[in-house]
C-alpha cells in the first residue's frame, strides 16, 4: 500500500446476518481534493464511511486511512479524521442543517455563529477556511440532503474551501449534479459494489460521449416502440413508452447516428424526431445501475433544532 493515498480500501466486505451490504469494495482516494461516493438509497455508502472512519469493522478487507491501518491503528486514524453525517443513526438521517452546524464547529467558529443560517456561515467562510489545519480527512455523509438551495450552495462552497485548504474531503451523495460539481473523483456504488470509478469526464466517456434521443412517431404504435427497445438491448440507456422516446449511447459521429437511425428505422417511418446531446452523469448512473438517479432538489424545509439536538462528533 502506498502513502500518496488518503484512503486505500481493498476487498471490503460486510454482511449483517445473511444480508450482504458491501461486496468486495475497493477504493483509492488520492490525498487532497474531493472524492464522492455516489449511490442510491441502501447502496452501502454510510456503511463504507463507518468502516473507513473506524466505527464499524469490515468482515474482510484492508483499509488504510491517512497512512494508518483502521484495524490495528484506529487511534492514529481517528486523530486525523473528522466525521459528520448519517453515521450517528442509520435509520434517522441527519439533516444537512446539522451537517452545516457541525462544519461550523469544525471550522472553529463560535457555536452561536455556527447555528445561524448557512448563508451566514458562508459569509464568514473565507475567514474560517484559514483556520483549518486539521483534520487531514473529512467524511461528509450526504452533507446536503434536506438542505434548501441556498444552504446547499453554502455547503458546496464549504466543501470546495476545505479542499482548497488541503483537506481530503470524502463525501457521499445521491445527487449526480453534486458529485459532478464538487468531486475530483467519483466512485459509483450500487448494491454494495463499486460499479464505476473515475473523474466525471471519464465516467461520461464510459457510456459514450453523446446520447441520441429518438422520438417515435405516434402512428408507429406501441409495438414499434417495444420492437426498437428490444432491438437496441442494453444500448438503450433510457426508454419512456409514454413519450415514445428512447436514449441511445453514441459517439455522436454522423456515421454512427445515421447507422443507428437506419438500424431502428429501416423503413424511415418510425422516428419522428431526434436529438444528440452530451452525456450527463444521469446517463452514466442509468447505464450502470439500471435506475434513474435522484436529481430533484429536496423541498425546502424548515429545520428546527430540538432540545436534545443530535451532535455530530469530532472523532
Ligand atoms: N446495522 C445494520 N443492520 C442490518 N442492516 C444494515 C445495517 N446497517 C445497514 N444495513 C443495511 O445495509 C444496506 C446499506 O445501508 P447503508 O446505510 O450503508 O446505505 P446508504 O448507501 O448509506 O443508503 P442511504 O442513501 O439511504 O443513506 C441497507 O440495505 C441497510 O438496510
Ligand atoms: Mg447512508
Amino acid at each position: 500500500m502506498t502513502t500518496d493515498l488518503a484512503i486505500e480500501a481493498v476487498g471490503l466486505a460486510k454482511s449483517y446476518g445473511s444480508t450482504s451490504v458491501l461486496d468486495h469494495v475497493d477504493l483509492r482516494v488520492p490525498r487532497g481534493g474531493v472524492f464522492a461516493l455516489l449511490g442510491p438509497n441502501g447502496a452501502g455508502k454510510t456503511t463504507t464511511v463507518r468502516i473507513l472512519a473506524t466505527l464499524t469493522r469490515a468482515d474482510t478487507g484492508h483499509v488504510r486511512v491517512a497512512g494508518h491501518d483502521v484495524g490495528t491503528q484506529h487511534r492514529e486514524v481517528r486523530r486525523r479524521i473528522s466525521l459528520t453525517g448519517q453515521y450517528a443513526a442509520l435509520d434517522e438521517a441527519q439533516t444537512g442543517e446539522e451537517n452545516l452546524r457541525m462544519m461550523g464547529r469544525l471550522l472553529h467558529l463560535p457555536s452561536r455563529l455556527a447555528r445561524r443560517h448557512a448563508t451566514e456561515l458562508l459569509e464568514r467562510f473565507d475567514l474560517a477556511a484559514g483556520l483549518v489545519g486539521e483534520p487531514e480527512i473529512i467524511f461528509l455523509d450526504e452533507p446536503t440532503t434536506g438542505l434548501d438551495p441556498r444552504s446547499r450552495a453554502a455547503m458546496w462552497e464549504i466543501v470546495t474551501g476545505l479542499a482548497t485548504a488541503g483537506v481530503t474531503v470524502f463525501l457521499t451523495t445521491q445527487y449526480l449534479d453534486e458529485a459532478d460539481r464538487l468531486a475530483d473523483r467519483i466512485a459509483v456504488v450500487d448494491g454494495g459494489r463499486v460499479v464505476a470509478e473515475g473523474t466525471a469526464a471519464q465516467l461520461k466517456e464510459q457510456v459514450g460521449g453523446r446520447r441520441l434521443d429518438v422520438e417515435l412517431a405516434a402512428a408507429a404504435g406501441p409495438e414499434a416502440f417495444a420492437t426498437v427497445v428490444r432491438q437496441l438491448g442494453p444500448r438503450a440507456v433510457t426508454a419512456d413508452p409514454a413519450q415514445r422516446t428512447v436514449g441511445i449511447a453514441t459517439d455522436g459521429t454522423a456515421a454512427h447516428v445515421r447507422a443507428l437511425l437506419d438500424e431502428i428505422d429501416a423503413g424511415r417511418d418510425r422516428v419522428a424526431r431526434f436529438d444528440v446531446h452530451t452525456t450527463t452523469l444521469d446517463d452514466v448512473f442509468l447505464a450502470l445501475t439500471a435506475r434513474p438517479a435522484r436529481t430533484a432538489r429536496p423541498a425546502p424545509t424548515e429545520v428546527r433544532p430540538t432540545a436534545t439536538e443530535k451532535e455530530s462528533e469530532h472523532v
Side-chain angles (χ1 to χ4, degrees):
M1 293 205 181
T2 47
T3 50
D4 58 330
L5 295 171
I7 298 167
E8 185 169 27
V10 180
L12 284 190
K14 180 77 185 172
S15 297
Y16 288 106
S18 58
T19 310
S20 170
V21 174
L22 296 183
D23 185 8
H24 291 88
V25 166
D26 293 338
L27 291 171
R28 292 166 61 83
V29 180
R31 282 187 195 271
V34 180
F35 188 96
L37 198 61
L38 170 68
N41 275 318
K45 301 181 299 296
T46 297
T47 305
T48 303
V49 168
R50 288 181 59 91
I51 291 170
L52 299 180
T54 77
L55 297 174
T56 299
R57 266 182 192 275
D59 299 334
T60 62
H62 295 282
V63 190
R64 284 182 84 80
V65 172
H68 296 276
D69 189 297
V70 298
T72 57
Q73 300 172 290
H74 64 268
R75 276 208 194 88
E76 297 298 319
V77 172
R78 285 184 181 199
R79 215 169 280 152
R80 289 165 174 80
I81 66 172
S82 177
L83 172 67
T84 178
Q86 291 184 326
Y87 79 96
L90 282 174
D91 52 354
E92 194 186 338
Q94 242 178 336
T95 64
E97 192 76 22
E98 284 169 316
N99 272 308
L100 274 176
R101 280 199 293 272
M102 162 66 192
M103 296 304 294
R105 285 184 208 110
L106 199 64
L107 297 168
H108 310 297
L109 290 173
S111 63
R112 184 176 53 84
L113 293 181
R115 280 162 204 278
R116 284 203 195 146
H117 193 267
T119 46
E120 289 180 64
L121 186 55
L122 173 60
E123 279 165 19
R124 288 160 212 273
F125 182 66
D126 281 343
L127 179 91
L131 299 171
V132 177
E134 282 188 319
E136 290 175 36
I137 303 167
I138 291 181
F139 292 96
L140 294 170
D141 195 2
E142 299 201 27
T144 63
T145 296
L147 287 187
D148 64 78
R150 285 177 81 197
S151 300
R152 190 175 193 244
M155 180 56 93
W156 284 2
E157 295 267 347
I158 289 169
V159 168
T160 306
L162 287 167
T164 306
V167 179
T168 305
V169 181
F170 186 103
L171 66 85
T172 74
T173 183
Q174 302 194 20
Y175 303 116
L176 292 161
D177 59 335
E178 185 160 287
D180 202 1
R181 172 83 169 257
L182 292 179
D184 300 295
R185 296 191 73 77
I186 300 166
V188 183
V189 282
D190 189 39
R193 285 174 163 269
V194 176
V195 293
E197 203 273 337
T199 63
Q202 285 167 345
L203 294 179
K204 289 171 189 172
E205 275 304 310
Q206 215 168 307
V207 288
R210 303 289 173 95
R211 197 175 90 188
L212 167 67
D213 285 330
V214 297
E215 181 189 325
L216 300 193
E223 322 77 49
F225 181 83
T227 305
V228 165
V229 170
R230 197 166 48 242
Q231 211 175 336
L232 288 166
R235 290 176 297 162
V237 269
T238 62
D240 182 343
Q243 303 292 321
R244 299 181 310 279
T245 55
V246 184
I248 312 154
T250 173
D251 60 9
T253 58
H256 191 239
V257 170
R258 196 176 278 133
L260 281 171
L261 290 172
D262 285 343
E263 179 186 342
I264 61 178
D265 189 16
R268 302 199 172 187
D269 53 3
R270 277 180 179 166
V271 175
R273 273 182 201 89
F274 74 88
D275 179 28
V276 180
H277 65 88
T278 306
T279 302
T280 63
L281 265 179
D282 279 286
D283 300 328
V284 176
F285 204 83
L286 266 169
L288 294 172
T289 69
R291 252 202 309 281
R294 272 177 51 169
T295 49
R297 292 284 178 287
T301 47
E302 191 69 37
V303 180
R304 283 170 229 92
T306 56
T308 52
E309 180 185 305
K310 191 160 28 114
E311 296 282 307
S312 292
E313 187 183 331
H314 192 155
V315 292

